[in-house]
Amino acid sequence: MPVTGQRLELDRPTPASVFPRLEPRLSSVQKPIQYVGGELNSTVKDWHCAPDGPTVRWALMYPDAYEVGLPNQGVQILYEVLNECDWIVAERTYSVWPDMEQVMRTGDAQGPIPQFTVDAHRPVRDFDVFGLSFSTELGYTNMLNALDLAGIPMHAVDRTDDDPIVLAGGHAAFNPEPIATFIDAAVLGDGEEVVLAISEVVREWKTEGCPGGRDELLRRLAVTGNIYVPKFYDVTYGADGTIEAVVPNRPGIPFRVTKHTLMDLDAWPYPAKPLVPLAETVHERFSVEIFRGCTRGCRFCQAGMITRPVRERSIETIGAMVENGIRKSGFEEVGLLSLSSADHTEIGEVAKQLADRYEGTNVSLSLPSTRVDAFNINLANEFSRNGRRSGLTFAPEGGSERLRKVINKMVTEEDLIRTVAAAYSHGWRQVKLYFMCGLPTETDEDVMEIADLAKKVIAKGREVSGRNDIRCTVSIGGFVPKPHTPFQWAAQLDAETTDARLKKLRDAVRDDKLYGRAIGFRYHDGKPGTIEGLLSRGDRRVGAVIEQVWRDGGRFDGWSEHFSYDRWAESCATALAGTGVDLGWYTTRARDYDEVLPWDHLDSGLDKDWLWADWEDALNPDATDVEDCRWTPCYDCGVCPEMNTEIQIGPTGRSLLPLAVV
């Protein structure tokens, strides 16, 4: 017998659209178009779309504003993959701006207007699964706001069979412990296959009449070994505040939860129907992911570590995806994306053949930030053949060669100067250099070398081009230690020291009369990075801090104009009182090997001993560099045998099809 009739199809009517209640109020908010839906290639399906049996329904959210969330490729891919199934409904929702939040909370004669999807404007609470994709931890307060607006109990323990399963994914889900109180489950790794597997479990449970309610559904998800359900794990703490153990609290629940890895990218050429926004967004382009994963071994880079191994898309699939995406969307810019796009084994042929195909059209091609040692001028010329020459971006990351060795970013000053010289001599006028401040072992002198490097770049640019309108922009972000990296044990630099170093660097650049005006300088103060550090390496106790911040008005913490460090610091002092830990304990404190880390029971495939050995190598000036294992013998990081995967690279010897010039 079913526990509740709410989940049975016959007893569950199609929810009414909230748009008739919303439309009269749209004129009172900024950018109302972001709430109306109807984008090209969006999908609206019947609530009872399944030809037989129950329908499974997903509300997908990128917890930020529409202009940031809509271009997110992860959500677009899952939206399309799910909606291709005739028994699944998938719709999208985004964070609403404070003016719309006020409208929704004020409501009308029927009461408050709930969090809604932009596709059919259905209430989020009526869906089976509420899936959130976190690329940054600073979106956690937006999640709480969406839950509250949706009428979904904020704490997972308070939810009933009438509430959706709240599911977290994305890079931040590799340590979901700070939000364990608020989510029902988390998924690690690639989402294309796992969302369909989850949907199958939900459908089978609904077909059987929802036996055991949401608790049984969560148990079925957890026993697969690939879905993390926090409520099925107990955490104990020692007298010093560290974690003693994280253990399952019922039979059949695995001690470790493993990540998902999609091995055949060619079989999943998504997005095939890219969403075209109605309002202006942060990226106005069609993006094709040309490979996934990175084995360069940069010790600070969580994305590179957790997405191993490298899996390339074939040149044929890339060509077909570009052609299809342009035709289906009308975008004029195509971004070839990955963590290090110039490392694709066939990038030269990809660039040349795409440039051949679209020469003389209004289609432009672009690469994201390029490694200095992977860049070549022929490649850059192919991507600018249609006459569009945007600035080139390189990421040395560390200011000094000593520091670049610490982080395993094997780029010398000579490499950088030679690369920018080639760019400036071939007509480029603008180069952007990205660095980090606060890296392990960093000194004031390491940071000041950034100024020297920028001046040498300008000097070389003027020399090889014979022009004085050469520009170099230095952009600096604060280093945040991340889980599943060799730097997960590192102490984070405090905000005050970070700000002092950056001020000293800024002054050194501005005071230089010969080069200062040619060097742009962009940086964020150290305080947002401190809070990101709290959330990235926090445990379940941090959930109380997040909730307190939200209750005090915290929203859109990834936006500088909305972020309040004082609000976070005060909430830490209040919510962590009596626990024996504080903000500094989570951020500026170094960890040792024996400490149980909050994410140790979540398996990214990386061997902890290998990560620790690499951390020790970072601190050892005499240690050898860690080469890219695509071209060297295996370094035994653990991913391939642990995940039953393998590195997949070309060259394939194939060509773009069709080869006809557009």
Side-chain angles (χ1 to χ4, degrees), residues 310-328:
V310 170
R311 292 144 286 152
E312 290 188 350
R313 273 201 168 101
S314 71
I315 188 172
E316 290 176 307
T317 303
I318 293 169
M321 289 179 69
V322 170
E323 190 275 332
N324 174 75
I326 292 172
R327 180 165 44 84
K328 293 285 182 65

Side-chain angles (χ1 to χ4, degrees), residues 193-210:
E193 293 173 323
V194 71
V195 293
L196 296 177
I198 291 171
S199 300
E200 292 279 6
V201 173
V202 175
R203 191 185 198 202
E204 181 179 333
W205 172 75
K206 293 175 73 170
T207 300
E208 295 173 7
C210 313

Side-chain angles (χ1 to χ4, degrees), residues 267-411:
W268 298 81
Y270 297 97
K273 297 188 295 182
L275 292 168
V276 181
L278 298 176
E280 184 178 1
T281 59
V282 293
H283 296 302
E284 299 284 347
R285 68 186 178 204
F286 172 62
S287 297
V288 174
E289 184 185 27
I290 62 174
F291 73 88
R292 194 172 293 181
C294 181
T295 46
R296 286 282 193 165
C298 300
R299 294 179 173 121
F300 59 85
C301 183
Q302 184 190 46
M305 292 291 173
I306 64 177
T307 59
R308 294 179 176 210
V310 170
R311 292 144 286 152
E312 290 188 350
R313 273 201 168 101
S314 71
I315 188 172
E316 290 176 307
T317 303
I318 293 169
M321 289 179 69
V322 170
E323 190 275 332
N324 174 75
I326 292 172
R327 180 165 44 84
K328 293 285 182 65
S329 70
F331 283 125
E332 295 181 352
E333 181 181 347
V334 178
L336 303 183
L337 305 186
S338 73
L339 293 174
S340 183
S341 293
D343 282 340
H344 191 288
T345 49
E346 295 180 296
I347 190 61
E349 283 303 302
V350 169
K352 181 182 185 305
Q353 293 186 37
L354 284 176
D356 286 345
R357 176 185 287 178
Y358 296 107
E359 186 169 14
T361 72
N362 57 359
V363 173
S364 64
L365 308 170
S366 65
L367 284 180
S369 173
T370 308
R371 286 185 63 98
V372 172
D373 49 354
F375 175 85
N376 66 73
I377 203 66
N378 291 332
L379 187 63
N381 282 333
E382 295 292 0
F383 278 100
S384 62
R385 203 194 292 180
N386 267 356
R388 300 186 188 184
R389 286 200 172 185
S390 56
L392 297 171
T393 301
F394 302 104
E397 311 289 0
S400 68
E401 203 157 312
R402 183 200 71 81
L403 196 57
R404 291 193 289 275
K405 181 176 176 60
V406 170
I407 64 177
N408 202 49
K409 191 88 172 186
M410 295 166 287
V411 175

Side-chain angles (χ1 to χ4, degrees), residues 32-152:
I33 198 169
Q34 65 187 309
Y35 305 115
V36 303
E39 301 94 345
L40 180 65
N41 295 325
S42 61
T43 302
V44 177
K45 299 174 75 171
D46 186 78
W47 189 249
H48 300 281
C49 68
D52 53 71
T55 301
V56 175
R57 306 175 182 94
W58 287 71
L60 298 171
M61 182 179 197
Y62 188 84
D64 209 322
Y66 177 94
E67 61 199 87
V68 178
L70 184 132
N72 180 262
Q73 197 166 38
V75 172
Q76 285 205 32
I77 289 171
L78 298 185
Y79 175 74
E80 192 171 328
V81 166
L82 289 166
N83 275 319
E84 282 188 350
C85 292
D86 62 4
W87 50 275
I88 298 177
V89 171
E91 300 186 16
R92 298 162 293 125
T93 186
Y94 306 102
S95 296
V96 298
W97 282 113
D99 57 356
M100 177 56 83
E101 179 186 345
Q102 184 177 355
V103 165
M104 293 166 66
R105 292 192 184 280
T106 302
D108 54 20
Q110 299 178 51
I113 298 173
Q115 180 82 25
F116 55 88
T117 61
V118 296
D119 295 293
H121 297 91
R122 291 161 173 158
V124 166
R125 188 171 183 258
D126 287 328
F127 288 77
D128 297 308
V129 184
F130 181 26
L132 299 105
S133 178
F134 293 101
S135 58
T136 171
E137 297 85 356
L138 292 173
Y140 290 161
T141 49
N142 282 355
M143 174 187 69
L144 298 194
N145 205 43
L147 289 172
D148 189 62
L149 287 170
I152 300 170

Side-chain angles (χ1 to χ4, degrees), residues 63 137 159 183 202 217 235-236 256 292 302 314 348 474 477 481 484 579 598 606 617 625 634:
E137 297 85 356
R159 292 177 194 140
I183 62 172
V202 175
L217 175 57
V235 182
T236 54
R256 284 173 67 78
R292 194 172 293 181
Q302 184 190 46
S314 71
V474 172
H484 307 281
T579 63
L606 294 159
D617 283 348
D625 296 330
C634 176

Side-chain angles (χ1 to χ4, degrees), residues 167-182:
L167 180 73
H171 287 185
F174 276 80
N175 176 27
E177 290 301 277
I179 54 172
T181 305
F182 315 115

Side-chain angles (χ1 to χ4, degrees), residues 379-596:
L379 187 63
N381 282 333
E382 295 292 0
F383 278 100
S384 62
R385 203 194 292 180
N386 267 356
R388 300 186 188 184
R389 286 200 172 185
S390 56
L392 297 171
T393 301
F394 302 104
E397 311 289 0
S400 68
E401 203 157 312
R402 183 200 71 81
L403 196 57
R404 291 193 289 275
K405 181 176 176 60
V406 170
I407 64 177
N408 202 49
K409 191 88 172 186
M410 295 166 287
V411 175
T412 66
E413 181 178 303
E414 291 73 26
D415 290 334
L416 179 62
I417 298 300
R418 183 170 58 250
T419 298
V420 298
Y424 286 133
S425 65
H426 282 75
W428 272 268
R429 298 287 171 262
Q430 171 78 31
V431 166
K432 182 178 179 180
L433 302 178
Y434 181 80
F435 298 91
M436 283 189 288
C437 180
L439 289 161
T441 78
E442 180 186 273
T443 65
D444 287 9
E445 289 70 30
D446 292 314
V447 175
M448 294 306 292
E449 286 199 39
I450 295 174
D452 296 334
L453 200 55
K455 294 171 188 176
K456 291 175 182 177
V457 164
I458 295 296
K460 177 58 71 170
R462 290 174 178 175
E463 175 192 331
V464 299
S465 69
R467 302 172 61 115
N468 285 325
D469 61 346
I470 297 299
R471 292 278 299 169
C472 172
T473 299
V474 172
S475 182
I476 304 182
F479 165 68
V480 178
K482 294 285 186 175
H484 307 281
T485 70
F487 287 169
Q488 65 184 355
W489 290 281
Q492 187 173 356
L493 190 65
D494 63 273
E496 293 74 21
T497 306
T498 298
D499 291 345
R501 285 180 182 168
L502 291 177
K503 182 180 183 302
K504 191 175 179 182
L505 174 61
R506 181 194 64 195
D507 292 344
V509 171
R510 288 182 176 175
D511 293 345
D512 190 291
K513 294 181 179 179
L514 185 59
Y515 300 111
R517 290 189 176 183
I519 301 172
F521 191 65
R522 299 176 184 172
Y523 71 95
H524 298 289
D525 66 71
K527 290 179 178 178
T530 299
I531 301 308
E532 189 181 342
L534 165 74
L535 299 175
S536 69
R537 291 194 293 177
D539 52 45
R540 295 188 181 187
R541 293 169 291 192
V542 173
V545 178
I546 301 169
E547 183 173 348
Q548 184 63 50
V549 169
W550 173 78
R551 294 192 183 281
D552 288 344
R555 313 281 193 275
F556 292 99
D557 286 293
W559 296 66
S560 57
E561 60 266 42
H562 294 279
F563 175 81
S564 168
Y565 177 78
D566 291 342
R567 180 161 50 211
W568 279 95
E570 291 164 7
S571 296
C572 281
T574 302
L576 297 176
T579 63
V581 299
D582 58 16
L583 178 58
W585 191 88
Y586 284 109
T587 56
T588 56
R589 178 183 66 90
R591 282 73 163 161
D592 61 34
Y593 176 81
D594 294 325
E595 180 171 338
V596 177

